[in-house]
Amino acid sequence: MSKLDELYRLHRLLDGRRTGLARADLIGAHDFARATLSRLIADLRNKLNAPLIHDKDRGGYRYDTADGRFALPGLWFTADELLALVTLKHLLTNLEPGLLENHLRPLQTRIDQLLASRHLSLGEAGRIRLLAMAVRHKNPRHFQIVAGAVLQRHRLRIDYYNRERDESTAREISPQRLAHYRNNWYLDAWCHDKKSLRSFAVECIREVEPLTTPAKTVAESTLNRELGSSYGIFAGKPRAVAVLVFTAKRARWVAEEIWHPEQQSRWLADGRYELRVPYSDDRELLMDVLKYGAEVEVTEPVELRVAVKKSLDAAASQYRRGKAKGSGFENGG
């Protein structure tokens, strides 16, 4: 029998009793080993805050409550699990400050007590660093409402701002799942106005109203097929495969990266690295290709190759126009 089973067994014997249980009876009649019983009593008192007392007048051990009852906490953790939980909490706090603070605060005190009882330190969690880049909005103001709708399965009415078109539209949506992608939160949802699946940047939700109408449920397989099969955050079934060829030097890094779950790759005879990724919308892929500059070449499809060339030409033209404002450098100097 595990220690946890033994602890529950002792708890069941004590819970609801108005009279105490003698140590001799627990060892004899109930077959607890002497050392085990001492450890279980200490665990109930020190780790679970049980009001366990030894009452000589009432015959032994009992819970010091009005009705003799005590509800054990619902969470049980080993030392390693506690450290993992605290580390996760630390990571989430740094990833999205304040996002889960209200929900975790009641649990944090209990975790601290359990860790202290095992002589474990919280300080070392600070040695883990998360460096966020290009985060558009920390702790989006409507995140809690959106997350609640995802979990409680009800619809939302939102006013959504589209940056590309610079306009806001009203939508009724059935939230399906939340995704944290490139340091920003996205909501996958069924849009009842467009009658299709859409991904919404949570920070672009300007107003939100919870509705009592149950959310339409979309199968996980459909979500993955419609929203998870293309490159990056843009939804839609893949319409093309990008063929990217990286220089031999850059390949040392890129060969270890996962750009897409269904990517294909191979090493070329001259040491270069070819990567094939499916995509439906080239906007995000274009940005990723451009950041590698001369260290990558798009060989297929033609339209993506042309789009990259136009972007590079436009960028280069800015440096051919002459003196930059506020700088002391002339063109070519």
Side-chain angles (χ1 to χ4, degrees):
M1 187 178 293
S2 70
K3 175 183 174 181
L4 184 58
D5 291 333
E6 285 280 71
L7 196 148
Y8 265 115
R9 187 164 73 91
L10 176 59
H11 167 71
R12 287 195 295 269
L13 290 171
L14 295 169
D15 193 32
R17 291 183 62 92
R18 298 302 180 97
T19 58
L21 268 172
R23 176 180 286 267
D25 291 337
L26 289 169
I27 293 172
H30 298 289
D31 202 28
F32 283 97
R34 190 177 301 274
T36 298
L37 180 61
S38 296
R39 186 176 66 249
L40 294 176
I41 290 172
D43 285 348
L44 280 170
R45 288 171 171 169
N46 302 328
K47 297 179 181 179
L48 299 175
N49 288 339
L52 180 59
I53 62 172
H54 187 268
D55 189 337
K56 292 183 178 179
D57 295 335
R58 295 194 185 182
Y61 292 100
R62 67 177 181 86
Y63 287 139
D64 189 19
T65 60
D67 58 1
R69 293 194 172 278
F70 170 70
L72 285 179
L75 295 176
W76 295 81
F77 299 104
T78 65
D80 288 343
E81 289 169 339
L82 281 168
L83 281 176
L85 180 61
V86 171
T87 301
L88 177 61
K89 190 264 184 185
H90 171 75
L91 293 176
L92 288 173
T93 299
N94 282 274
L95 191 66
E96 290 290 328
L99 193 61
L100 300 175
E101 195 64 29
N102 290 336
H103 299 286
L104 291 178
R105 189 178 296 113
L107 181 61
Q108 186 60 44
T109 300
R110 191 72 200 99
I111 292 173
D112 293 345
Q113 293 172 346
L114 289 169
L115 286 171
S117 72
R118 302 187 186 199
H119 308 289
L120 299 173
S121 171
L122 288 171
E124 300 305 317
R127 295 181 180 274
I128 300 173
R129 298 178 68 207
L130 285 181
L131 303 178
M133 181 179 178
V135 180
R136 291 192 293 268
H137 197 294
K138 297 298 289 182
N139 194 9
R141 56 179 175 152
H142 298 308
F143 181 88
Q144 300 290 356
I145 296 176
V146 170
V150 171
L151 298 175
Q152 296 166 16
R153 310 304 306 128
H154 62 75
R155 297 187 189 186
L156 295 173
R157 183 174 291 116
I158 63 173
D159 286 333
Y160 187 74
Y161 173 66
N162 185 301
R163 288 191 178 97
E164 187 170 355
R165 294 194 295 269
D166 192 26
E167 65 179 20
S168 295
T169 56
R171 309 281 190 96
E172 182 173 326
I173 61 173
S174 286
Q176 302 298 315
R177 62 187 182 187
L178 277 166
H180 193 264
Y181 178 71
R182 297 195 178 192
N183 290 317
N184 293 288
W185 287 99
Y186 295 88
L187 172 66
D188 291 341
W190 176 266
C191 178
H192 293 275
D193 299 280
K194 301 295 184 181
K195 299 190 184 320
S196 62
L197 289 167
R198 291 286 192 274
S199 286
F200 300 93
V202 175
E203 83 276 359
C204 287
I205 297 177
R206 299 299 190 236
E207 301 293 336
V208 60
E209 177 189 355
L211 303 176
T212 57
T213 312
K216 171 186 174 71
T217 298
V218 179
E220 185 76 12
S221 58
T222 303
L223 291 173
N224 292 334
R225 184 177 64 253
E226 297 292 330
L227 302 179
S229 58
S230 294
Y231 184 83
I233 199 63
F234 292 108
K237 295 179 181 179
R239 63 176 178 82
V241 175
V243 181
L244 315 176
V245 178
F246 293 86
T247 62
K249 181 179 178 180
R250 182 50 54 186
R252 301 171 198 165
W253 286 269
V254 178
E256 303 295 328
E257 297 174 356
I258 302 297
W259 287 44
H260 190 277
E262 297 178 9
Q263 70 183 38
Q264 296 180 345
S265 61
R266 62 174 179 145
W267 289 93
L268 303 181
D270 58 2
R272 293 181 300 162
Y273 180 76
E274 182 186 273
L275 179 66
R276 293 172 174 260
V277 292
Y279 71 97
S280 63
D281 187 307
D282 65 7
R283 284 174 288 174
E284 187 173 355
L285 181 57
L286 187 61
M287 289 189 294
D288 285 341
V289 170
L290 289 171
K291 74 181 181 181
Y292 286 101
E295 294 186 289
V296 63
E297 179 186 1
V298 177
T299 60
E300 295 180 39
V302 173
E303 58 266 28
L304 181 61
R305 182 180 175 89
V306 170
V308 171
K309 183 179 183 301
K310 285 183 178 179
S311 294
L312 291 174
D313 287 344
S317 69
Q318 296 186 83
Y319 294 91
R320 291 194 292 263
R321 292 174 186 169
K323 183 178 178 180
K325 293 181 179 179
S327 86
F329 295 97
E330 299 291 340
N331 182 37

PDB file of all heavy atoms in Angstrom, residues 188-206:
ATOM      1  N   ASP A 188      -8.887  30.696 -31.478  1.00  0.00           N
ATOM      2  CA  ASP A 188      -9.505  29.975 -32.590  1.00  0.00           C
ATOM      3  C   ASP A 188     -10.995  29.882 -32.297  1.00  0.00           C
ATOM      4  O   ASP A 188     -11.391  29.439 -31.214  1.00  0.00           O
ATOM      5  CB  ASP A 188      -8.922  28.574 -32.733  1.00  0.00           C
ATOM      6  CG  ASP A 188      -7.470  28.597 -33.198  1.00  0.00           C
ATOM      7  OD1 ASP A 188      -7.038  29.627 -33.734  1.00  0.00           O
ATOM      8  OD2 ASP A 188      -6.771  27.580 -33.016  1.00  0.00           O
ATOM      9  N   ALA A 189     -11.805  30.288 -33.246  1.00  0.00           N
ATOM     10  CA  ALA A 189     -13.257  30.326 -32.987  1.00  0.00           C
ATOM     11  C   ALA A 189     -14.037  30.125 -34.275  1.00  0.00           C
ATOM     12  O   ALA A 189     -13.542  30.378 -35.383  1.00  0.00           O
ATOM     13  CB  ALA A 189     -13.641  31.659 -32.349  1.00  0.00           C
ATOM     14  N   TRP A 190     -15.281  29.662 -34.094  1.00  0.00           N
ATOM     15  CA  TRP A 190     -16.221  29.593 -35.211  1.00  0.00           C
ATOM     16  C   TRP A 190     -16.929  30.942 -35.278  1.00  0.00           C
ATOM     17  O   TRP A 190     -17.535  31.386 -34.300  1.00  0.00           O
ATOM     18  CB  TRP A 190     -17.242  28.483 -35.001  1.00  0.00           C
ATOM     19  CG  TRP A 190     -18.289  28.445 -36.081  1.00  0.00           C
ATOM     20  CD1 TRP A 190     -19.508  29.047 -36.069  1.00  0.00           C
ATOM     21  CD2 TRP A 190     -18.170  27.782 -37.350  1.00  0.00           C
ATOM     22  NE1 TRP A 190     -20.171  28.796 -37.240  1.00  0.00           N
ATOM     23  CE2 TRP A 190     -19.378  28.025 -38.047  1.00  0.00           C
ATOM     24  CE3 TRP A 190     -17.180  27.013 -37.958  1.00  0.00           C
ATOM     25  CZ2 TRP A 190     -19.612  27.528 -39.326  1.00  0.00           C
ATOM     26  CZ3 TRP A 190     -17.412  26.511 -39.227  1.00  0.00           C
ATOM     27  CH2 TRP A 190     -18.613  26.769 -39.893  1.00  0.00           C
ATOM     28  N   CYS A 191     -16.816  31.612 -36.425  1.00  0.00           N
ATOM     29  CA  CYS A 191     -17.476  32.901 -36.608  1.00  0.00           C
ATOM     30  C   CYS A 191     -18.853  32.656 -37.217  1.00  0.00           C
ATOM     31  O   CYS A 191     -18.958  32.155 -38.350  1.00  0.00           O
ATOM     32  CB  CYS A 191     -16.638  33.810 -37.515  1.00  0.00           C
ATOM     33  SG  CYS A 191     -17.420  35.409 -37.826  1.00  0.00           S
ATOM     34  N   HIS A 192     -19.898  33.012 -36.470  1.00  0.00           N
ATOM     35  CA  HIS A 192     -21.252  32.760 -36.940  1.00  0.00           C
ATOM     36  C   HIS A 192     -21.643  33.737 -38.056  1.00  0.00           C
ATOM     37  O   HIS A 192     -22.562  33.449 -38.828  1.00  0.00           O
ATOM     38  CB  HIS A 192     -22.231  32.864 -35.775  1.00  0.00           C
ATOM     39  CG  HIS A 192     -22.053  31.772 -34.768  1.00  0.00           C
ATOM     40  ND1 HIS A 192     -22.650  30.536 -34.888  1.00  0.00           N
ATOM     41  CD2 HIS A 192     -21.300  31.717 -33.638  1.00  0.00           C
ATOM     42  CE1 HIS A 192     -22.297  29.772 -33.862  1.00  0.00           C
ATOM     43  NE2 HIS A 192     -21.472  30.471 -33.086  1.00  0.00           N
ATOM     44  N   ASP A 193     -20.958  34.871 -38.155  1.00  0.00           N
ATOM     45  CA  ASP A 193     -21.249  35.827 -39.221  1.00  0.00           C
ATOM     46  C   ASP A 193     -20.634  35.365 -40.543  1.00  0.00           C
ATOM     47  O   ASP A 193     -21.270  35.441 -41.590  1.00  0.00           O
ATOM     48  CB  ASP A 193     -20.716  37.211 -38.835  1.00  0.00           C
ATOM     49  CG  ASP A 193     -21.374  37.738 -37.574  1.00  0.00           C
ATOM     50  OD1 ASP A 193     -22.503  38.243 -37.660  1.00  0.00           O
ATOM     51  OD2 ASP A 193     -20.754  37.610 -36.494  1.00  0.00           O
ATOM     52  N   LYS A 194     -19.395  34.867 -40.477  1.00  0.00           N
ATOM     53  CA  LYS A 194     -18.716  34.394 -41.677  1.00  0.00           C
ATOM     54  C   LYS A 194     -18.992  32.917 -41.958  1.00  0.00           C
ATOM     55  O   LYS A 194     -18.644  32.401 -43.019  1.00  0.00           O
ATOM     56  CB  LYS A 194     -17.208  34.601 -41.548  1.00  0.00           C
ATOM     57  CG  LYS A 194     -16.800  36.042 -41.337  1.00  0.00           C
ATOM     58  CD  LYS A 194     -17.134  36.891 -42.546  1.00  0.00           C
ATOM     59  CE  LYS A 194     -16.627  38.322 -42.367  1.00  0.00           C
ATOM     60  NZ  LYS A 194     -16.954  39.171 -43.526  1.00  0.00           N
ATOM     61  N   LYS A 195     -19.584  32.250 -40.963  1.00  0.00           N
ATOM     62  CA  LYS A 195     -19.891  30.818 -41.063  1.00  0.00           C
ATOM     63  C   LYS A 195     -18.651  29.987 -41.417  1.00  0.00           C
ATOM     64  O   LYS A 195     -18.670  29.121 -42.304  1.00  0.00           O
ATOM     65  CB  LYS A 195     -21.003  30.578 -42.092  1.00  0.00           C
ATOM     66  CG  LYS A 195     -22.310  31.268 -41.742  1.00  0.00           C
ATOM     67  CD  LYS A 195     -23.430  30.828 -42.624  1.00  0.00           C
ATOM     68  CE  LYS A 195     -24.720  31.586 -42.348  1.00  0.00           C
ATOM     69  NZ  LYS A 195     -25.015  31.845 -40.952  1.00  0.00           N
ATOM     70  N   SER A 196     -17.577  30.274 -40.692  1.00  0.00           N
ATOM     71  CA  SER A 196     -16.325  29.547 -40.904  1.00  0.00           C
ATOM     72  C   SER A 196     -15.419  29.749 -39.700  1.00  0.00           C
ATOM     73  O   SER A 196     -15.693  30.585 -38.820  1.00  0.00           O
ATOM     74  CB  SER A 196     -15.623  30.039 -42.174  1.00  0.00           C
ATOM     75  OG  SER A 196     -15.284  31.406 -42.054  1.00  0.00           O
ATOM     76  N   LEU A 197     -14.345  28.972 -39.647  1.00  0.00           N
ATOM     77  CA  LEU A 197     -13.374  29.106 -38.567  1.00  0.00           C
ATOM     78  C   LEU A 197     -12.468  30.300 -38.818  1.00  0.00           C
ATOM     79  O   LEU A 197     -12.083  30.580 -39.960  1.00  0.00           O
ATOM     80  CB  LEU A 197     -12.535  27.831 -38.454  1.00  0.00           C
ATOM     81  CG  LEU A 197     -13.255  26.602 -37.903  1.00  0.00           C
ATOM     82  CD1 LEU A 197     -12.424  25.350 -38.132  1.00  0.00           C
ATOM     83  CD2 LEU A 197     -13.554  26.768 -36.411  1.00  0.00           C
ATOM     84  N   ARG A 198     -12.121  30.992 -37.737  1.00  0.00           N
ATOM     85  CA  ARG A 198     -11.239  32.142 -37.811  1.00  0.00           C
ATOM     86  C   ARG A 198     -10.304  32.132 -36.597  1.00  0.00           C
ATOM     87  O   ARG A 198     -10.625  31.562 -35.546  1.00  0.00           O
ATOM     88  CB  ARG A 198     -12.021  33.451 -37.803  1.00  0.00           C
ATOM     89  CG  ARG A 198     -12.848  33.703 -39.056  1.00  0.00           C
ATOM     90  CD  ARG A 198     -11.965  34.094 -40.225  1.00  0.00           C
ATOM     91  NE  ARG A 198     -12.708  34.609 -41.358  1.00  0.00           N
ATOM     92  CZ  ARG A 198     -13.251  33.874 -42.301  1.00  0.00           C
ATOM     93  NH1 ARG A 198     -13.157  32.550 -42.230  1.00  0.00           N
ATOM     94  NH2 ARG A 198     -13.895  34.427 -43.309  1.00  0.00           N
ATOM     95  N   SER A 199      -9.140  32.785 -36.747  1.00  0.00           N
ATOM     96  CA  SER A 199      -8.235  33.014 -35.622  1.00  0.00           C
ATOM     97  C   SER A 199      -8.223  34.506 -35.332  1.00  0.00           C
ATOM     98  O   SER A 199      -8.035  35.318 -36.252  1.00  0.00           O
ATOM     99  CB  SER A 199      -6.820  32.521 -35.944  1.00  0.00           C
ATOM    100  OG  SER A 199      -6.755  31.123 -35.915  1.00  0.00           O
ATOM    101  N   PHE A 200      -8.426  34.856 -34.057  1.00  0.00           N
ATOM    102  CA  PHE A 200      -8.490  36.251 -33.649  1.00  0.00           C
ATOM    103  C   PHE A 200      -7.350  36.553 -32.678  1.00  0.00           C
ATOM    104  O   PHE A 200      -7.142  35.808 -31.710  1.00  0.00           O
ATOM    105  CB  PHE A 200      -9.823  36.564 -32.958  1.00  0.00           C
ATOM    106  CG  PHE A 200     -11.032  36.327 -33.821  1.00  0.00           C
ATOM    107  CD1 PHE A 200     -11.699  35.095 -33.776  1.00  0.00           C
ATOM    108  CD2 PHE A 200     -11.498  37.306 -34.669  1.00  0.00           C
ATOM    109  CE1 PHE A 200     -12.815  34.864 -34.559  1.00  0.00           C
ATOM    110  CE2 PHE A 200     -12.612  37.081 -35.464  1.00  0.00           C
ATOM    111  CZ  PHE A 200     -13.279  35.863 -35.413  1.00  0.00           C
ATOM    112  N   ALA A 201      -6.615  37.637 -32.924  1.00  0.00           N
ATOM    113  CA  ALA A 201      -5.612  38.098 -31.968  1.00  0.00           C
ATOM    114  C   ALA A 201      -6.350  38.678 -30.770  1.00  0.00           C
ATOM    115  O   ALA A 201      -7.174  39.590 -30.919  1.00  0.00           O
ATOM    116  CB  ALA A 201      -4.721  39.157 -32.605  1.00  0.00           C
ATOM    117  N   VAL A 202      -6.082  38.157 -29.570  1.00  0.00           N
ATOM    118  CA  VAL A 202      -6.860  38.556 -28.400  1.00  0.00           C
ATOM    119  C   VAL A 202      -6.698  40.042 -28.113  1.00  0.00           C
ATOM    120  O   VAL A 202      -7.652  40.713 -27.695  1.00  0.00           O
ATOM    121  CB  VAL A 202      -6.461  37.708 -27.171  1.00  0.00           C
ATOM    122  CG1 VAL A 202      -7.174  38.195 -25.911  1.00  0.00           C
ATOM    123  CG2 VAL A 202      -6.793  36.241 -27.420  1.00  0.00           C
ATOM    124  N   GLU A 203      -5.508  40.594 -28.354  1.00  0.00           N
ATOM    125  CA  GLU A 203      -5.319  42.016 -28.040  1.00  0.00           C
ATOM    126  C   GLU A 203      -6.087  42.922 -29.000  1.00  0.00           C
ATOM    127  O   GLU A 203      -6.249  44.115 -28.742  1.00  0.00           O
ATOM    128  CB  GLU A 203      -3.829  42.385 -28.033  1.00  0.00           C
ATOM    129  CG  GLU A 203      -3.224  42.696 -29.383  1.00  0.00           C
ATOM    130  CD  GLU A 203      -2.792  41.449 -30.126  1.00  0.00           C
ATOM    131  OE1 GLU A 203      -2.955  40.339 -29.587  1.00  0.00           O
ATOM    132  OE2 GLU A 203      -2.285  41.578 -31.246  1.00  0.00           O
ATOM    133  N   CYS A 204      -6.588  42.359 -30.126  1.00  0.00           N
ATOM    134  CA  CYS A 204      -7.378  43.151 -31.077  1.00  0.00           C
ATOM    135  C   CYS A 204      -8.873  43.107 -30.784  1.00  0.00           C
ATOM    136  O   CYS A 204      -9.665  43.704 -31.510  1.00  0.00           O
ATOM    137  CB  CYS A 204      -7.116  42.675 -32.501  1.00  0.00           C
ATOM    138  SG  CYS A 204      -5.496  43.145 -33.134  1.00  0.00           S
ATOM    139  N   ILE A 205      -9.254  42.367 -29.748  1.00  0.00           N
ATOM    140  CA  ILE A 205     -10.657  42.364 -29.323  1.00  0.00           C
ATOM    141  C   ILE A 205     -10.883  43.617 -28.489  1.00  0.00           C
ATOM    142  O   ILE A 205     -10.395  43.735 -27.370  1.00  0.00           O
ATOM    143  CB  ILE A 205     -10.995  41.093 -28.520  1.00  0.00           C
ATOM    144  CG1 ILE A 205     -10.819  39.848 -29.401  1.00  0.00           C
ATOM    145  CG2 ILE A 205     -12.417  41.171 -27.975  1.00  0.00           C
ATOM    146  CD1 ILE A 205     -11.065  38.541 -28.675  1.00  0.00           C
ATOM    147  N   ARG A 206     -11.600  44.577 -29.057  1.00  0.00           N
ATOM    148  CA  ARG A 206     -11.795  45.869 -28.389  1.00  0.00           C
ATOM    149  C   ARG A 206     -12.892  45.817 -27.324  1.00  0.00           C
ATOM    150  O   ARG A 206     -12.803  46.437 -26.280  1.00  0.00           O
ATOM    151  CB  ARG A 206     -12.111  46.943 -29.429  1.00  0.00           C
ATOM    152  CG  ARG A 206     -11.022  47.168 -30.474  1.00  0.00           C
ATOM    153  CD  ARG A 206      -9.733  47.621 -29.800  1.00  0.00           C
ATOM    154  NE  ARG A 206      -8.736  48.070 -30.778  1.00  0.00           N
ATOM    155  CZ  ARG A 206      -7.521  47.579 -30.871  1.00  0.00           C
ATOM    156  NH1 ARG A 206      -7.153  46.584 -30.068  1.00  0.00           N
ATOM    157  NH2 ARG A 206      -6.662  48.049 -31.747  1.00  0.00           N
TER     158      ARG A 206
END
